[in-house]
Amino acid sequence: QVQVVESGGDLVQAGESLRLSCVVSGSISSINAMGWYRQAPGKQRELVATLTSGGDTKYSDSVKGRFLISRASIKNTVYLYLNSLKPEDTAVYFCNGIISSFGGTYDNYWGQGTQVTVSS
């Protein structure tokens, strides 16, 4: 009953930018934190950025200074701004939410992923 949906992935040239969106819907009591992860072919999923309900943000070293996670003005929506993209950023990007549904405890919810491909 809780859904996490990402969008915005695309095929872009190196140096270009993208904005990914993550929309959380359903029976939501509260959201403790949101995060973006990515997984490249043949590699394990890795953390990209996190945003707590208190506004604290953290980034992986590989994207620090280039990516930005922020809460959108739209309710229960989080953005990931990807700037100065590199071919190494090519991956499926997943949105994750630590969310409490009505009558339940906090659980991790994952989106289906959105593909970002950066060419040279």
Side-chain angles (χ1 to χ4, degrees), residues 98-118:
I98 303 176
I99 301 166
S100 174
S101 183
F102 291 114
T105 59
Y106 281 97
D107 290 310
N108 281 289
Y109 293 87
W110 294 90
Q112 81 292 337
T114 185
Q115 177 70 48
V116 173
T117 303
V118 185

Side-chain angles (χ1 to χ4, degrees), residues 82-94:
L82 299 77
N83 301 309
S84 302
L85 282 162
K86 305 174 181 179
E88 306 92 270
D89 296 318
T90 296
V92 177
Y93 284 72
F94 296 91

Side-chain angles (χ1 to χ4, degrees), residues 17-72:
S17 300
L18 284 174
R19 186 185 74 180
L20 306 183
S21 298
C22 175
V23 179
V24 180
S25 62
S27 301
I28 302 168
S29 178
S30 63
I31 301 176
N32 183 258
M34 299 293 298
W36 285 94
Y37 298 75
R38 67 185 182 186
Q39 186 169 20
K43 298 182 179 179
Q44 292 186 317
R45 184 178 61 193
E46 64 176 349
L47 172 68
V48 175
T50 59
L51 172 65
T52 69
S53 60
D56 186 31
T57 59
K58 292 184 178 181
Y59 300 89
S60 67
D61 291 338
S62 61
V63 307
K64 190 175 298 182
R66 297 188 298 120
F67 291 8
L68 175 69
I69 185 171
S70 66
R71 184 184 183 277

